[in-house]
Every structure is written in C-alpha cells, then in structure tokens.
Amino acid sequence: MTDKPCNLFDVGHRACGGCAAALAAKLILEAAGKNTIVVSATGCMEVFSTPYPETAWGVPWIHSLFENNSAVASGVVASLKKQGRTEKVIALGGDGATVDIGMLCISGAFERGTDFTYICYDNEAYMNTGIQRSGATPYDASTTTSPAGKCSFGNPRPKKDLPAILAAHGAPYVATASVAYPADFKKKVEKAVNIPGPCYIQVHAPCCTGWGFEGEKTIAIGKLAIETGLWVNYEMENGEVTRVKKVRRKPVEDYLTEQKRFRHLFRPKKNDGEIAKIQQIADRNAEKYGTDIVLKK
Amino acid sequence: MALNLGCTAKPGNARDNKTGSWRVFKPEFIREKCTQCGMCTIVCPEGCISPDEDEFPVPDYDYCKGCGLCAEECPSEAIEMKKEEK
Ligand SMILES: Cc1ncc(C[n+]2csc(CCOP(=O)(O)OP(=O)(O)O)c2C)c(N)n1
Ligand code: SF4
Ligand code: SF4
Ligand SMILES: [Mg+2]
C-alpha cells in the first residue's frame, strides 16, 4: 500500500497515537480539498508533520512564526489575488499560537477583511513544549505552569472567548467544532473556505498526552466535553449565533474524572467547591447558547 | 544535513517514516462483524485505513501506531486490539 499516491495529509507523521490534532489536519484537508494552501504556526501540528526534510502535507504548506501566522497568510492571499489564482488559504495554529501569541496579526488580518480561514486546533495548552497553560486552558486544569498543589487548584482563569472576539471584528463566519463530530467539523471547514472574507473555526482537540488519558479515548473525551456543556459546538454568521448542538446534559464530573489534569479535584479527597464552580461554567454555557434539550411534558 | 533552497520538501515524503514500529497493540479487523460503516476510516488520525477490493477496511500496518481509536469507536465491535508479537 506504500506506493499509493499521497493523501492530502499523509501517513508517516509523528503525532502521538490517537492525537486529535492529527485527526483535525486530516479532516481539514478532506473538506478543503487539494486546491488549498496552508500556513502553520509552530506547535505540535507543525512539529509532528514536518520534521525536515520530511513532510506529511500533500498541499503547499508554509511554516510561519507564532506571531506572524496570519500576516504570512495575508501575504499569500494578496499574491494569489494579484496572479488571479483561486486557491483557498488556511492558517492553522494551536491555542497558544492563536489566543495568545498570534492575536495581534490575527486581529489585523480580520480587520483588513482578508479572504482566508483561520483554524485553531484547541488542545487547551502549549503541548509541544511540555503542557504550559495558555489563554485557552480551562478553569482548574493542572499544567506545568499552573500546577495543582497545596496553594493552587490548577489554572485560575476561565478560557478566553476568542470566537466572540473575532465575531466582534465583523467576521462573516465563526464556528466552534470538535474532532468528536468529524462530519460536522468537515461541513464547517467547507463552509468557511467558501465564504469570502475572514472566517474562524476553533476545533476542540483532546490531547491524550497533555490531558492524561489513553489515546483510544480521544473521541469519547471530546463527546463528553460537549455532553457536559464544557464545550459548545455552534456557528455564528455575521455576529449572530445561527446553529447550536443541543445535548441532554451530563454532570461535569463525568468529563473531569476521565483526565489526569483534573485528578486533584478528586484526590486525596473530592473538592465539591471547585467542582461546583466548573458545573457553573457549564450551566452558564448551556444558558447562553441554549444547548439543553428540553423534554416536552 | 544540507538544506534545500527555502527548506522545501517533496509532498508526502513523511512516508519514509514507518510509524508502525511504534505499535504495542495491533488492531485486528474481524470481517464477519464489520458492516462497512466506515467509522474506523474516518477517525484514524493516521489516515492509514483504506478499503480492500471487497470494500472491507484494512489498516496499513507500516504506519498504524496501534492507538486503538478505531477499535474504541467501531459501533460493531469488529476491531480487537491484540498485544503485538514482534
Ligand atoms: C516565539 C516563540 N516562542 C516560543 C516557542 C516555543 N514553542 C514551540 S511549540 C510551542 C507550543 C505551542 O502551543 P500551541 O500553539 O498551543 O500548540 P500545541 O503545541 O499545543 O499544539 C512553543 C511555546 C517558539 N517556537 N517561538
Ligand atoms: S502532545 Fe498532544 S497535541 Fe501534541 S502530538 Fe501528542 S497528542 Fe497530539
Ligand atoms: S489503531 Fe489507531 S493508527 Fe491503527 S488503524 Fe486504528 S485508529 Fe489507525
Ligand atoms: Mg495547544
């Protein structure tokens, strides 16, 4: 089978077994197709797919810095326009690359109305450098820079709402997705690359290594995030939420107990106070987006 | 190592890297139980599962890392993870 023509995102990459970011890359290119140019910031996805001189990409792919990912993508878009070419441009970044380090250039590209799609694979920390917290790390997750211990319950701040920030830039299309729902994710990618102007997708990408679970559970964990209300899948068109995935909500504990990054909330003894605060985050999400399935009496 | 101009590389040459050597558990696909729903092919992060001539999914063991995601997500329990004999 080795002599098969290469897939758009090909075998031989060095992601951990069961990695959601690798699955996301595969799904993105299945949806966007071969007429795509990808610009990638540093991070796991860049590192595992392109240890020089190897590359797993079957489409043109450019490595940027963290800071200038969207600026490089803007340059590619401008050049294609000048040449009258029609390739779709996708900028890819991890959560650290996106919600923290690349913010300035992302904001600039969205302000200019650049015709591109930015996709953040959100594994909720700086994984490639050893699990440091980012602005997308959830409340109370233990990371190497927000370690749980005697004086700390883990990351003290909630996730930064980047989709809302980019919607506020006037983006025509902003969506959240999860690798746990591959067909939904692919539909959103296809939609985003075909809508003119700057579009944004943030895809939840459970990381077995950084979150502490077995690689075979990647999809199951992604589903639990949605079923507990800690991750919401929605679409926003021109600033309005137009579609939301509804769920029959489970308690947040069902999600937390499956991951080592939240283990301190259950051992040596259960921390009901902190778990209640996380439940509140889920409850607020459910109310804000109207995710709860209401049974007719 | 000599770098090419612009550090370019040929598409998909990561194929040189046979990640199948990482495997500890090996997925065994049981045809009798398989309904050809395609779930395993969709979720495999390697993209290493493809259909054979009878449309049954077959993993490329040169690249399968043995992560077990396909077995976990198969709705028909048609994939079993077995300790690899090396
Ligand atoms: C300007 C700069 N700072 C720091 C680094 C080191 N670095 C490489 S990968 C990485 C983690 C990136 O995290 P994220 O964007 O969330 O992607 P992930 O690795 O989690 O997939 C960091 C900090 C770098 N390459 N460049
Ligand atoms: S550390 Fe996490 S994101 Fe990085 S390759 Fe491994 S599973 Fe994927
Ligand atoms: S075990 Fe993992 S890598 Fe191997 S075929 Fe199944 S999903 Fe793909
Ligand atoms: Mg990250």
Side-chain angles (χ1 to χ4, degrees):
Chain A
M1 241 187 283
T2 324
D3 50 2
K4 238 179 38 168
C6 87
N7 302 318
L8 294 180
F9 186 74
D10 210 10
V11 291
H13 63 74
R14 295 165 191 243
C16 304
C19 172
L23 175 53
K26 185 186 92 165
L27 297 170
I28 288 166
L29 285 188
E30 281 174 7
K34 65 178 191 323
N35 216 17
T36 304
I37 297 175
V38 177
V39 183
S40 265
T42 308
C44 271
M45 193 189 278
E46 169 265 325
V47 170
F48 69 61
S49 65
T50 61
Y52 188 79
E54 287 167 16
T55 174
W57 300 87
V59 297
W61 179 93
I62 305 167
H63 180 205
S64 72
L65 300 177
F66 270 122
E67 295 83 346
N68 67 354
N69 197 21
S70 292
V72 172
S74 300
V76 174
V77 170
S79 170
L80 292 174
K81 190 175 166 200
K82 175 90 181 144
Q83 297 174 60
R85 286 165 58 173
T86 56
E87 288 98 322
K88 308 288 183 196
V89 177
I90 295 179
L92 287 176
D95 50 295
T98 305
V99 313
D100 298 340
I101 316 179
M103 269 298 280
L104 189 71
C105 282
I106 297 172
S107 176
F110 274 67
E111 183 186 322
R112 289 188 300 272
T114 306
D115 184 14
F116 81 139
T117 297
Y118 190 107
I119 302 178
C120 168
Y121 65 98
D122 185 2
N123 56 18
E124 304 192 321
Y126 291 83
M127 293 312 179
N128 198 65
T129 36
I131 324 171
Q132 293 82 25
R133 83 166 283 285
S134 79
T137 302
Y139 183 72
D140 272 357
S142 186
T143 72
T144 52
T145 50
S146 63
K150 264 200 224 118
C151 311
S152 156
F153 300 128
N155 180 45
R157 299 286 303 153
K159 281 174 83 78
K160 187 192 289 183
D161 190 355
L162 192 60
I165 295 169
L166 293 178
H169 281 65
Y173 184 72
V174 169
T176 55
S178 167
V179 296
Y181 296 94
D184 175 72
F185 177 40
K186 281 171 71 172
K187 239 189 267 165
K188 287 169 176 167
V189 172
E190 210 183 322
K191 201 161 166 182
V193 297
N194 285 305
I195 291 176
C199 297
Y200 178 69
I201 299 177
Q202 189 162 326
V203 59
H204 203 215
C207 164
C208 47
T209 306
W211 300 8
F213 61 84
E214 295 297 328
E216 71 209 34
K217 296 282 185 205
T218 295
I219 301 260
I221 295 277
K223 282 194 177 148
L224 276 171
I226 289 178
E227 287 163 355
T228 54
L230 288 172
W231 182 270
V232 181
N233 263 1
Y234 61 84
E235 288 180 293
M236 277 172 106
E237 284 164 77
N238 302 310
E240 300 290 327
V241 175
T242 48
R243 255 187 68 230
V244 173
K245 171 149 182 73
K246 302 246 179 189
V247 289
R248 235 170 243 146
R249 227 148 31 96
K250 295 177 174 167
V252 293
E253 268 184 68
D254 291 12
Y255 177 63
L256 304 176
T257 49
E258 296 294 316
Q259 307 169 54
K260 284 207 189 94
R261 63 179 174 158
F262 296 114
R263 186 163 56 182
H264 57 285
L265 301 177
F266 300 91
R267 276 184 238 169
K269 78 179 198 310
K270 199 168 151 194
N271 190 332
D272 289 314
E274 285 304 300
I275 295 168
K277 286 187 201 166
I278 298 173
Q279 186 60 56
Q280 260 177 20
I281 294 174
D283 293 348
R284 272 200 302 268
N285 280 344
E287 181 159 6
K288 180 171 173 194
Y289 294 100
T291 58
D292 283 345
I293 292 173
V294 187
L295 294 175
K296 287 205 188 85
K297 296 223 175 79
Chain B
M1 184 202 301
L3 300 181
N4 296 325
L5 189 64
C7 293
T8 54
K10 286 260 183 315
N13 67 3
R15 281 183 174 245
D16 295 349
N17 185 35
K18 301 274 169 67
T19 50
S21 64
W22 300 12
R23 207 167 46 238
V24 178
F25 293 94
K26 185 175 184 176
E28 280 184 9
F29 286 61
I30 307 156
R31 285 188 175 225
E32 294 68 40
K33 291 190 183 174
C34 175
T35 61
Q36 303 184 336
C37 72
M39 184 55 86
C40 55
T41 311
I42 293 169
V43 301
C44 174
E46 309 312 309
C48 74
I49 306 177
S50 44
D52 68 5
E53 56 278 9
D54 302 318
E55 299 296 322
F56 282 103
V58 186
D60 185 338
Y61 291 114
D62 279 351
Y63 300 101
C64 163
K65 292 173 184 165
C67 70
L69 199 48
C70 54
E72 186 73 18
E73 293 306 318
C74 170
S76 310
E77 294 179 22
I79 307 170
E80 278 176 20
M81 300 304 291
K82 297 261 171 72
K83 188 92 201 276
E84 177 112 26
E85 307 285 341
K86 287 210 173 148

